Amino acid sequence: MNSDSQDAYLYESLEMFKKVAASVDLVQVCGYYQQVNFCEGIVDLCISAAAKRDPNNLALLYCQNLKPADDLLGREMFSARQECYQCILNMIHYYHSIVENGGGSIPDGANKLCSKSLTALEARTFFDGVVSECLSKRDEMLHFAVYHWLLEFGLHEKILENATQSLEQVLVSQARNSSEKDLVVILDLLWKFYEKNDQYEQAANILCTLAERRSTSVKLSQRVNFLGRALVSAKSSVSKSGPPVNPELVKEIEDKLEKEDAMNALNSELFNLTQLYSDFASTYNLSECKLATIVVAGHSDPTTVEFIWLELIDNLFKEFLTEKNTSSGSSIESLSTRFAIVAKDYVEKSEQFFPLTSIVNHLEKRSCELKMGVSWIFSLFIQLGIDYHVLLMVYIDLWNNKEKIWKMLGEPHHLLCVIDALIRQFLDKLLASGDHKISSLARNEFSEIMCPFVSKELVSLTSLASGDPSCRPLIDSLKRSLTSLERFSLSH
């Protein structure tokens, strides 16, 4: 049979199989097509089968909604499509294996059939053609499948060569669930994708994230390189058709590059404590370095120590907000972790280096400003080893200060809500653990402090409730807490 006749029969069979694509045995048919390298037929048939098995494209919606556990139909359609695309991925893997082995014929793992022997160059041609063909189709789920395969095998240049708009969603999704080491790779691809598509500001932001990310897998020289590329990207839109350059971003990157130059200097020369503080930590606003330097020097001026901690907290929140607005995202958990990494080295030191009340106060103000909830901060300090009783006394002192800032933030009773949540968490923990180590005396002392405090605040809130109905939920919650406290006192 000559080549033209064979092609005619192949295309005729393809049209017949497409009519019954919903029920056809894809593995068997694609196995036969693989023997004669009918790549176009495999891609076309699998796409038709996927569309007929998931006609409303529910699998795409399922992925866009981050694969919710309760979307059973979406998960079923996703699996149906993946089954269809697997035949295409088997073909891609087949040709890639031949290229990696320098030519020959590799058994197809899905159907145990082999095509005729191919040279590495022929296999490369088929491989490139199939990848390009798949990513030219208007099937986003197929794009996702192919990109994930390319990521798995580390074919990053091939990904960028065949970048479509679907790639951004794939990389952003991968970034959410990647390990630290893999995340660097994903973000590296993401900024290159943005730059290739003239999205220079997005590229610059991702490069800054890479440069500043806490990771042992990124060396100082790489961080400097990332910042240098970020500066180029930030300035590139001046001569391109994209949005105009963001001068604030350019200035921010230039400042960061200056800091990295200082780090290079530190890496090449030994300095005394005064030089470290004045020439580096203070000049470049390196709060953690300032703190470490004054502790080593034994400098315990309360005003200086408190100022550095507040500066450090502000810097952490700035990083948190910056990352929250990028594709990589951020969370309260990551902010807590970053603070804990710094605080754990000082929490057991004296008050002179860890001013607990000031630190808690500033954290709560920033958290209240961003409406981040009432329990994550005291939970963080409990994890750091601060006792519940100590924290309660800190919060009561802060509440009794009656600072006007809380009213300005629109949350005049924020600290009281925190105290209420802290009492309930303490009592719930005791109830759940059956902790009998707390003596009757300690229980009575705790209740003797907290019961009068809660009672007094209930009287005050009740008098305000008629003019401020928003107090009612807090009043109800404090009443429950007071009842629990009284039972707690009577239990021993």
Side-chain angles (χ1 to χ4, degrees):
M1 184 184 299
N2 61 42
S3 177
D4 290 341
S5 298
Q6 184 183 49
D7 288 348
Y9 283 123
L10 286 171
Y11 282 106
E12 184 178 350
S13 70
L14 174 61
E15 292 306 314
M16 293 174 66
F17 283 128
K18 283 168 65 176
K19 291 177 182 178
V20 292
S23 57
V24 72
D25 186 340
L26 285 176
V27 173
Q28 186 176 35
V29 175
C30 291
Y32 288 128
Y33 283 168
Q34 181 70 74
Q35 290 185 61
V36 293
N37 297 308
F38 187 30
C39 305
E40 182 184 346
I42 294 175
V43 173
D44 206 1
L45 178 58
C46 290
I47 289 175
S48 295
K52 289 194 174 182
R53 296 177 190 186
D54 177 24
N56 296 316
N57 210 359
L58 296 179
L60 180 60
L61 188 62
Y62 174 69
C63 289
Q64 290 173 340
N65 290 333
L66 306 181
K67 300 181 179 179
D70 58 347
D71 186 0
L72 301 181
L73 183 58
R75 183 168 61 186
E76 181 183 341
M77 294 299 99
F78 175 78
S79 297
R81 280 187 175 267
Q82 291 302 107
E83 185 180 324
C84 297
Y85 301 140
Q86 189 58 50
C87 291
I88 297 175
L89 299 181
N90 287 343
M91 173 174 55
I92 292 174
H93 184 74
Y94 174 84
Y95 291 125
H96 177 65
S97 298
I98 293 177
V99 173
E100 291 293 292
N101 284 278
S105 180
I106 309 297
D108 186 325
N111 53 45
K112 309 302 181 186
L113 294 172
C114 303
S115 66
K116 67 179 183 179
S117 182
L118 298 171
T119 66
L121 181 59
E122 288 172 329
R124 166 64 67 184
T125 301
F126 281 122
F127 173 80
D128 291 343
V130 171
V131 171
S132 179
E133 174 80 6
C134 289
L135 296 174
S136 69
K137 300 294 185 181
R138 298 180 63 182
D139 185 336
E140 285 189 70
M141 290 302 298
L142 175 59
H143 292 189
F144 295 168
V146 172
Y147 282 132
H148 279 116
W149 187 93
L150 293 171
L151 280 169
E152 183 182 349
F153 283 85
L155 302 177
H156 302 151
E157 289 186 12
K158 182 60 64 180
I159 291 172
L160 293 171
E161 285 173 17
N162 294 273
T164 68
Q165 288 306 309
S166 303
L167 178 57
E168 180 181 15
Q169 188 175 342
V170 171
L171 295 176
V172 170
S173 175
Q174 285 289 104
R176 292 193 192 101
N177 304 300
S178 294
S179 64
E180 185 63 44
K181 184 177 180 181
D182 291 339
L183 183 59
V184 173
V185 173
I186 297 299
L187 293 180
D188 188 56
L189 282 169
L190 189 57
W191 79 258
K192 290 174 181 175
F193 166 80
Y194 284 137
E195 193 173 79
K196 185 176 181 179
N197 287 276
D198 295 341
Q199 295 173 272
Y200 293 101
E201 188 167 331
Q202 291 94 323
N205 283 324
I206 296 297
L207 282 160
C208 286
T209 299
L210 278 166
E212 297 178 309
R213 193 155 200 89
R214 292 177 183 270
S215 172
T216 56
S217 63
V218 183
K219 297 179 181 178
L220 177 60
S221 58
Q222 290 176 291
R223 295 180 189 276
V224 174
N225 184 52
F226 283 140
L227 285 174
R229 294 298 297 261
L231 188 60
V232 171
S233 288
K235 291 181 175 180
S236 289
S237 55
V238 174
S239 58
K240 301 287 183 178
S241 58
V245 66
N246 181 340
E248 293 181 2
L249 179 61
V250 171
K251 178 65 168 61
E252 183 181 343
I253 296 171
E254 287 175 339
D255 290 344
K256 289 174 181 175
L257 268 171
E258 195 175 344
K259 290 181 182 180
E260 295 295 345
D261 289 339
M263 293 299 291
N264 277 325
L266 284 169
N267 202 33
S268 60
E269 189 177 345
L270 195 62
F271 296 87
N272 63 40
L273 288 174
T274 302
Q275 288 174 311
L276 286 174
Y277 189 90
S278 60
D279 295 348
F280 295 95
S282 182
T283 300
Y284 298 106
N285 193 27
L286 304 174
S287 305
E288 293 177 45
C289 296
K290 286 184 189 178
L291 193 58
T293 305
I294 64 169
V295 170
V296 171
H299 182 79
S300 58
D301 176 57
T303 303
T304 303
V305 173
E306 182 177 326
F307 176 80
I308 293 172
W309 274 107
L310 302 193
E311 182 183 69
L312 187 150
I313 290 168
D314 285 339
N315 288 340
L316 287 175
F317 270 90
K318 184 179 179 181
E319 289 178 16
F320 167 74
L321 290 172
T322 299
E323 290 189 10
K324 192 176 181 182
N325 294 326
T326 65
S327 299
S328 57
S330 189
S331 64
I332 292 176
E333 184 180 358
S334 67
L335 176 61
S336 298
T337 301
R338 290 182 182 186
F339 179 82
I341 289 171
V342 180
K344 66 181 176 61
D345 293 329
Y346 302 95
V347 71
E348 293 182 359
K349 296 183 184 296
S350 63
E351 176 76 11
Q352 63 182 349
F353 293 121
F354 194 76
L356 180 62
T357 301
S358 297
I359 292 170
V360 169
N361 192 27
H362 199 59
L363 280 170
E364 287 292 352
K365 287 174 182 175
R366 294 306 307 269
S367 177
C368 181
E369 182 184 4
L370 297 172
K371 302 188 184 306
M372 295 169 66
V374 298
S375 62
W376 72 273
I377 293 174
F378 70 69
S379 297
L380 166 62
F381 282 102
I382 288 167
Q383 290 172 6
L384 285 168
I386 305 294
D387 188 77
Y388 278 97
H389 297 69
V390 173
L391 280 173
L392 277 166
M393 294 304 101
V394 166
Y395 277 106
I396 288 174
D397 287 344
L398 291 175
W399 168 252
N400 288 334
N401 287 340
K402 304 297 181 186
E403 289 187 85
K404 294 181 181 179
I405 184 67
W406 303 108
K407 191 170 184 179
M408 293 169 61
L409 292 171
E411 297 289 345
H413 303 112
H414 173 79
L415 289 174
L416 195 54
C417 291
V418 176
I419 292 169
D420 180 46
L422 182 51
I423 291 171
R424 283 187 280 109
Q425 181 171 307
F426 173 64
L427 296 178
D428 288 346
K429 182 186 177 185
L430 283 180
L431 184 64
S433 63
D435 195 340
H436 301 296
K437 294 180 182 178
I438 298 180
S439 66
S440 297
L441 179 61
R443 288 170 182 265
N444 290 333
E445 287 178 350
F446 179 74
S447 298
E448 284 172 6
I449 294 172
M450 296 312 304
C451 286
F453 172 80
V454 175
S455 297
K456 178 173 73 74
E457 297 305 331
L458 274 171
V459 171
S460 177
L461 281 173
T462 302
S463 67
L464 297 173
S466 58
D468 185 4
S470 64
C471 294
R472 179 53 57 188
L474 179 56
I475 291 172
D476 293 341
S477 184
L478 283 170
K479 284 181 177 178
R480 290 192 293 271
S481 294
L482 182 58
T483 301
S484 297
L485 281 167
E486 290 169 344
R487 288 175 180 169
F488 171 74
S489 177
L490 295 171
S491 63
H492 281 73

